[in-house]
Every structure is written in C-alpha cells, then in structure tokens.
Amino acid sequence: MRFRITVETDGPEETVALCTDAEAYYIDLPRPARHRYELRGCLPKGRLAGAVAAALDGGSAPLGGLTLHALDRHGVPVEPAWDVWCLADVRILGGGQAGAHAAPVDITLEAVMGGHAGEDADEQPEVPEVPPLFTGFALTGTGDEDFGVCRQVALIGKEPEPDVEAPRLVGCELRGPLSAAWESGEDRFELGGVYLSSLDRSGVVIDEHWTCLHVESWAPSRAGAGRVDLTLDMSCNDFRSSAAGTVHEMWWDGPPWEPNLWAPLSSFERGAWSNATQNNRAARPTPGAPVHATHHLDGRYITDMQGFALALGEAVNGPGGYFGSCFGTIEYALGDDCGARPPFTLVWHDHEVARACLGRTPLTYDASPSFAEILAFFAQHKVDVVLA
C-alpha cells in the first residue's frame, strides 16, 4: 500500500510526504485499560440503584457511561462545570442495598477512564479534582439521567495501559516542512493536523482521514537513496484497523468493476468499504440522473445497515458507487443529485433478507434502522419502493 501526507494551505493542499509502504499501520487497538473505583457515601437513583441491586444478586451489572459533577457547599453543581469527570463502559461490581430510606452506601465499579470508550483519557485525572468547599458529586448517565449523588471517589485498582506498536511509514519522499526538519537534523518533529491518505496502485485515494502527525523518530530508508522511514505517534486519531487493511488491499488495483465484492465482509470491513466508496465518488463523480428513473436494489446481502448502504450505492451508481451511509447522508445524496433524483422507483429484490436481519426496535443513536423504518424513510422522500 502507498501513503500520502498532505497539509492545508491558503491555496491547494500541499503534499509533504509520499511513502511506498507502512508497518504496524493496519492494526486493531487493544481494549483500553479498565480500573476499579469506589464511590463512597452514595445515594443512588434510577438505573444506578437498579444496577447495584442486580450486582448484589448476580455479582456484577452493566451501567454504561457515568459522569460526575462537583457540587458546591449548597449542593448545586459548580458553574462553570469544574472538571466534569467521566467514566465509560461502567460495570457495577457491588455495593450496599439502596432504598428510599437507606443510609449512604459505597459502590464498587470497574470502568474505562474517559468520556467515551477512553476518549480524552490522557487529559483526565485519575480521580476527579474538586473546587474549594465542595460537598460531593452529582451522578448522571447518558442524556443527564439522574443517578443520585456520592460524597467521594477513590481509585482502588489500576490496570496497566496496553502497549501499542508505533506505526511506521516506509520509503518516504519528503517535501516542504518535513524535508526541512529532516535536513536540519531534528530528532522529532510535530507537524500537527494533516490528511493521511491510503493510495491505490495508480495513486488515487482509497481512504483519507484527518490526524495529528508527530514524527517520533526517522531514519534513512532501505527503499532507496534520499528516502526516509518515519515512526509516528498518531495521538489525535486511532490507527487504521485491520478491517481497513483488508478493504484497501481489495481496492489496490482501483475501484471494483463488479457488484457485491463487499458481501463476504464483516460489518467493520463493510464500514471501511463505505469509506472507500466515498473517496471513489470524489475521484469518479457520478452523472446526474433524470427523475422517475428505476433502480434495482440487490437485497441478497443486506444483513446490516452497512450492507444496505453499500447495496443502495451500487444500485444507483454501479460497483463501488456511493449513495450515503446512513439516513442523514442518504438524505443529503437525494437532494444533491448524486446519481438519483426523487421521485424515482427502487425495486428491492430479495427484500426478505433485510426484513429478517435489520433492527426490529425503534431507531436509536447506536442501533440500525428496521426494515419498516427504511420503507418509511423512502416514502417520506418520494422514493417508490417495489418489493420483489
């Protein structure tokens, strides 16, 4: 795989590195460290009280996210929020029996430190800092769900953070500020925000993402005279996953020219394929389509939302085609002349697969839409769906 690093300028983007390969780049990050905490002097409410009761019966119980807000001497959350402190993927391990007239209890839990799956964990103290004259913490869940209050937080068990091998870009031809830093003999170099792109054989972008690029070390490359190997600390963004590596290899010779090559892929790999189709759309713009057209949707492999979006993209724009990845982006595509203009007809073949596999519960932030919700969405946007 080939890679390119570009930076924004007042004019066109500037390429600062072209690299022939990478090492330790397409990896799956290990799960973040989980620590044990004790919330002392708690009066739990709602789902937190329920999770404590469930943990007493079953040994542990999931809770989800937990946020602590410092309270002033009057029991009011400090404004502006004083070091609002967050835990993710919380599991309650034990605690005293809570009730309407119960005394305060201590609650033991295990969690990932940070706002969302470890997000911003490096910037968050191990235990919450508190302002002068504070009286405790208000406890809330997702959507400010009231979980009650507690008096104090203690870290009682700490798991070591997992080691992650630093990615390396190999055989890089340096330009601009990267070239100047290398020639000046700097040991490390912080470039800041860049676009890091995976390229196919002909140099067309397969996938591109924004990241903060820190060169931890560099050395002359065996790939050729004048080329450099870069060891990176991509601290502002996750590394590309093994799922992305699988898809990028499939796109190495260019966009696909036959449909359903994504069908055997996992949901994660289908998500990476969707990213590639978005860049493919930029490289191969779709012609406008007349209204009242008919498009045929191959439903044999629509087992998740990613599969639905990929099949829809191919129905409208052919193999490797893009027509959105969720309701929001599909709605944008419908209004932006991205290959299909409503009103039009969508003939959905083998629709029974999606009816059986897609979500059966009302649409939420982290759930796939149901088959019925997709039909309602199309009806709202003047797309006539024919079930075949």
Side-chain angles (χ1 to χ4, degrees):
M1 198 62 59
R2 298 165 63 191
F3 297 86
R4 183 183 70 196
I5 303 172
T6 57
V7 296
E8 290 184 331
T9 66
D10 293 335
E13 292 180 358
E14 178 186 0
T15 297
V16 295
L18 285 171
C19 307
T20 59
D21 205 351
E23 298 172 353
Y25 184 78
Y26 292 113
I27 63 172
D28 294 318
L29 292 176
R31 69 178 182 89
R34 297 181 61 79
H35 305 320
R36 288 197 176 197
Y37 297 89
E38 190 172 70
L39 308 183
R40 296 171 178 168
C42 296
L43 295 174
K45 293 182 180 179
R47 285 198 305 110
L48 176 57
V52 171
L56 290 173
D57 290 337
S60 70
L63 182 67
L66 177 64
T67 301
L68 285 76
H69 308 256
L71 302 174
D72 65 18
R73 59 181 178 175
H74 303 294
V76 176
V78 176
E79 294 293 345
W82 181 285
D83 283 324
V84 172
W85 192 77
C86 303
L87 294 174
D89 194 17
V90 177
R91 177 167 286 273
I92 304 300
L93 303 179
Q97 185 68 49
H101 304 289
V105 298
D106 296 341
I107 299 173
T108 305
L109 59 86
E110 182 184 78
V112 175
M113 188 171 68
H116 184 270
E119 180 179 309
D120 297 327
D122 292 340
E123 300 177 7
Q124 181 172 288
E126 288 186 340
V127 293
E129 297 176 353
V130 296
L133 303 178
F134 98 108
T135 56
F137 300 96
L139 309 175
T140 60
T142 303
D144 292 330
E145 182 180 2
D146 186 4
F147 282 167
V149 295
C150 77
R151 178 176 51 83
Q152 188 181 13
V153 180
L155 176 65
I156 60 175
K158 188 174 179 181
E159 184 178 274
E161 293 293 338
D163 292 329
V164 179
E165 185 178 1
R168 290 175 295 280
L169 298 182
V170 177
C172 300
E173 174 192 331
L174 305 183
R175 303 175 184 175
L178 270 182
S179 176
W182 164 253
E183 292 176 357
S184 69
E186 295 189 35
D187 293 332
R188 304 172 61 185
F189 185 68
E190 182 175 334
L191 189 57
V194 302
Y195 288 105
L196 181 53
S197 306
S198 303
L199 310 179
D200 68 13
R201 185 188 301 275
S202 61
V204 175
V205 174
I206 302 173
D207 190 12
E208 180 176 79
H209 69 289
W210 176 261
T211 185
C212 296
L213 189 74
H214 303 164
V215 178
E216 287 294 298
S217 63
W218 36 18
S221 177
R222 286 180 287 183
R227 293 188 175 267
V228 179
D229 295 343
L230 309 179
T231 300
L232 307 179
D233 170 18
M234 295 162 56
S235 58
C236 296
N237 204 311
D238 289 345
F239 308 120
R240 300 289 84 187
S241 66
S242 61
T246 298
V247 171
H248 294 180
E249 287 293 335
M250 296 174 70
W251 283 65
W252 170 244
D253 290 319
W257 293 104
E258 59 180 288
N260 295 324
L261 292 181
W262 51 268
L265 301 179
S266 68
S267 290
F268 289 114
E269 291 165 339
R270 289 180 178 190
W273 187 284
S274 179
N275 291 338
T277 65
Q278 294 180 54
N279 284 291
N280 180 40
R281 174 178 177 253
R284 189 182 69 182
T286 55
V291 296
H292 305 298
T294 297
H295 301 277
H296 290 264
L297 180 66
D298 185 347
R300 291 176 294 169
Y301 311 108
I302 300 179
T303 56
D304 53 19
M305 183 60 185
Q306 292 90 343
F308 166 71
L310 296 179
L312 180 63
E314 293 193 337
V316 173
N317 292 313
Y322 174 78
F323 199 73
S325 58
C326 62
F327 278 170
T329 52
I330 293 171
E331 185 173 39
Y332 177 83
L334 286 166
D336 197 42
D337 197 18
C338 294
R341 296 171 56 199
F344 64 84
T345 298
L346 186 68
V347 181
W348 193 330
H349 300 273
D350 296 290
H351 65 277
E352 297 87 356
V353 175
R355 188 189 293 274
C357 293
L358 297 187
R360 295 177 177 272
T361 58
L363 183 61
T364 61
Y365 176 80
D366 58 352
S368 294
S370 67
F371 181 73
E373 286 167 329
I374 292 176
L375 295 183
F377 172 83
F378 279 137
Q380 179 186 356
H381 292 84
K382 300 180 180 180
V383 177
D384 181 24
V385 178
V386 177
L387 300 180

